[in-house]
PDB file of all heavy atoms in Angstrom:
ATOM      1  N   PHE M 219      56.173 115.082  52.506  1.00  0.00           N
ATOM      2  CA  PHE M 219      56.219 115.419  53.928  1.00  0.00           C
ATOM      3  C   PHE M 219      55.223 114.594  54.749  1.00  0.00           C
ATOM      4  O   PHE M 219      55.472 114.300  55.917  1.00  0.00           O
ATOM      5  CB  PHE M 219      56.004 116.917  54.134  1.00  0.00           C
ATOM      6  CG  PHE M 219      57.190 117.725  53.700  1.00  0.00           C
ATOM      7  CD1 PHE M 219      57.117 118.542  52.596  1.00  0.00           C
ATOM      8  CD2 PHE M 219      58.384 117.641  54.393  1.00  0.00           C
ATOM      9  CE1 PHE M 219      58.215 119.277  52.181  1.00  0.00           C
ATOM     10  CE2 PHE M 219      59.494 118.364  54.000  1.00  0.00           C
ATOM     11  CZ  PHE M 219      59.413 119.188  52.882  1.00  0.00           C
ATOM     12  N   GLY M 220      54.108 114.192  54.145  1.00  0.00           N
ATOM     13  CA  GLY M 220      53.174 113.303  54.838  1.00  0.00           C
ATOM     14  C   GLY M 220      53.797 111.944  55.106  1.00  0.00           C
ATOM     15  O   GLY M 220      53.633 111.366  56.181  1.00  0.00           O
ATOM     16  N   GLY M 221      54.520 111.409  54.123  1.00  0.00           N
ATOM     17  CA  GLY M 221      55.203 110.120  54.306  1.00  0.00           C
ATOM     18  C   GLY M 221      56.278 110.193  55.374  1.00  0.00           C
ATOM     19  O   GLY M 221      56.429 109.282  56.197  1.00  0.00           O
ATOM     20  N   ILE M 222      57.021 111.282  55.380  1.00  0.00           N
ATOM     21  CA  ILE M 222      58.053 111.462  56.407  1.00  0.00           C
ATOM     22  C   ILE M 222      57.406 111.565  57.787  1.00  0.00           C
ATOM     23  O   ILE M 222      57.870 110.957  58.756  1.00  0.00           O
ATOM     24  CB  ILE M 222      58.900 112.709  56.102  1.00  0.00           C
ATOM     25  CG1 ILE M 222      59.740 112.475  54.848  1.00  0.00           C
ATOM     26  CG2 ILE M 222      59.788 113.069  57.297  1.00  0.00           C
ATOM     27  CD1 ILE M 222      60.443 113.708  54.326  1.00  0.00           C
ATOM     28  N   GLY M 223      56.300 112.297  57.869  1.00  0.00           N
ATOM     29  CA  GLY M 223      55.591 112.424  59.146  1.00  0.00           C
ATOM     30  C   GLY M 223      55.082 111.083  59.658  1.00  0.00           C
ATOM     31  O   GLY M 223      55.178 110.791  60.854  1.00  0.00           O
ATOM     32  N   MET M 224      54.566 110.253  58.762  1.00  0.00           N
ATOM     33  CA  MET M 224      54.073 108.939  59.171  1.00  0.00           C
ATOM     34  C   MET M 224      55.217 108.067  59.677  1.00  0.00           C
ATOM     35  O   MET M 224      55.053 107.307  60.631  1.00  0.00           O
ATOM     36  CB  MET M 224      53.361 108.241  58.013  1.00  0.00           C
ATOM     37  CG  MET M 224      52.026 108.857  57.661  1.00  0.00           C
ATOM     38  SD  MET M 224      50.869 108.854  59.030  1.00  0.00           S
ATOM     39  CE  MET M 224      50.552 107.112  59.169  1.00  0.00           C
ATOM     40  N   ARG M 225      56.370 108.159  59.056  1.00  0.00           N
ATOM     41  CA  ARG M 225      57.521 107.365  59.508  1.00  0.00           C
ATOM     42  C   ARG M 225      57.996 107.818  60.883  1.00  0.00           C
ATOM     43  O   ARG M 225      58.554 107.037  61.636  1.00  0.00           O
ATOM     44  CB  ARG M 225      58.662 107.463  58.511  1.00  0.00           C
ATOM     45  CG  ARG M 225      58.416 106.665  57.271  1.00  0.00           C
ATOM     46  CD  ARG M 225      59.567 106.793  56.316  1.00  0.00           C
ATOM     47  NE  ARG M 225      59.316 106.010  55.130  1.00  0.00           N
ATOM     48  CZ  ARG M 225      60.205 105.203  54.595  1.00  0.00           C
ATOM     49  NH1 ARG M 225      61.388 105.078  55.113  1.00  0.00           N
ATOM     50  NH2 ARG M 225      59.898 104.518  53.514  1.00  0.00           N
ATOM     51  N   VAL M 226      57.793 109.070  61.213  1.00  0.00           N
ATOM     52  CA  VAL M 226      58.209 109.590  62.520  1.00  0.00           C
ATOM     53  C   VAL M 226      57.175 109.237  63.589  1.00  0.00           C
ATOM     54  O   VAL M 226      57.531 108.858  64.709  1.00  0.00           O
ATOM     55  CB  VAL M 226      58.422 111.116  62.447  1.00  0.00           C
ATOM     56  CG1 VAL M 226      58.601 111.719  63.827  1.00  0.00           C
ATOM     57  CG2 VAL M 226      59.615 111.431  61.565  1.00  0.00           C
ATOM     58  N   ILE M 227      55.897 109.323  63.263  1.00  0.00           N
ATOM     59  CA  ILE M 227      54.833 109.141  64.254  1.00  0.00           C
ATOM     60  C   ILE M 227      54.543 107.673  64.556  1.00  0.00           C
ATOM     61  O   ILE M 227      54.288 107.317  65.704  1.00  0.00           O
ATOM     62  CB  ILE M 227      53.551 109.860  63.783  1.00  0.00           C
ATOM     63  CG1 ILE M 227      53.773 111.366  63.819  1.00  0.00           C
ATOM     64  CG2 ILE M 227      52.348 109.485  64.630  1.00  0.00           C
ATOM     65  CD1 ILE M 227      52.660 112.160  63.193  1.00  0.00           C
ATOM     66  N   ASN M 228      54.576 106.796  63.553  1.00  0.00           N
ATOM     67  CA  ASN M 228      54.198 105.399  63.766  1.00  0.00           C
ATOM     68  C   ASN M 228      54.992 104.690  64.857  1.00  0.00           C
ATOM     69  O   ASN M 228      54.403 103.966  65.669  1.00  0.00           O
ATOM     70  CB  ASN M 228      54.254 104.619  62.458  1.00  0.00           C
ATOM     71  CG  ASN M 228      52.989 104.765  61.655  1.00  0.00           C
ATOM     72  OD1 ASN M 228      51.956 105.174  62.175  1.00  0.00           O
ATOM     73  ND2 ASN M 228      53.064 104.437  60.388  1.00  0.00           N
ATOM     74  N   PRO M 229      56.313 104.837  64.955  1.00  0.00           N
ATOM     75  CA  PRO M 229      57.021 104.169  66.059  1.00  0.00           C
ATOM     76  C   PRO M 229      56.549 104.630  67.434  1.00  0.00           C
ATOM     77  O   PRO M 229      56.531 103.845  68.380  1.00  0.00           O
ATOM     78  CB  PRO M 229      58.487 104.546  65.831  1.00  0.00           C
ATOM     79  CG  PRO M 229      58.577 104.846  64.388  1.00  0.00           C
ATOM     80  CD  PRO M 229      57.255 105.437  64.008  1.00  0.00           C
ATOM     81  N   GLN M 230      56.148 105.888  67.554  1.00  0.00           N
ATOM     82  CA  GLN M 230      55.654 106.383  68.832  1.00  0.00           C
ATOM     83  C   GLN M 230      54.334 105.717  69.206  1.00  0.00           C
ATOM     84  O   GLN M 230      54.093 105.381  70.367  1.00  0.00           O
ATOM     85  CB  GLN M 230      55.475 107.908  68.782  1.00  0.00           C
ATOM     86  CG  GLN M 230      56.739 108.657  68.456  1.00  0.00           C
ATOM     87  CD  GLN M 230      57.820 108.418  69.481  1.00  0.00           C
ATOM     88  OE1 GLN M 230      57.550 108.331  70.673  1.00  0.00           O
ATOM     89  NE2 GLN M 230      59.051 108.295  69.021  1.00  0.00           N
ATOM     90  N   ILE M 231      53.469 105.525  68.217  1.00  0.00           N
ATOM     91  CA  ILE M 231      52.182 104.862  68.466  1.00  0.00           C
ATOM     92  C   ILE M 231      52.404 103.411  68.853  1.00  0.00           C
ATOM     93  O   ILE M 231      51.819 102.906  69.816  1.00  0.00           O
ATOM     94  CB  ILE M 231      51.267 104.976  67.232  1.00  0.00           C
ATOM     95  CG1 ILE M 231      50.915 106.445  66.980  1.00  0.00           C
ATOM     96  CG2 ILE M 231      50.002 104.138  67.411  1.00  0.00           C
ATOM     97  CD1 ILE M 231      50.207 106.684  65.663  1.00  0.00           C
TER      98      ILE M 231
END
Side-chain angles (χ1 to χ4, degrees):
F219 288 111
I222 292 171
M224 289 301 291
R225 286 180 180 227
V226 169
I227 292 172
N228 276 343
Q230 301 299 322
I231 295 171

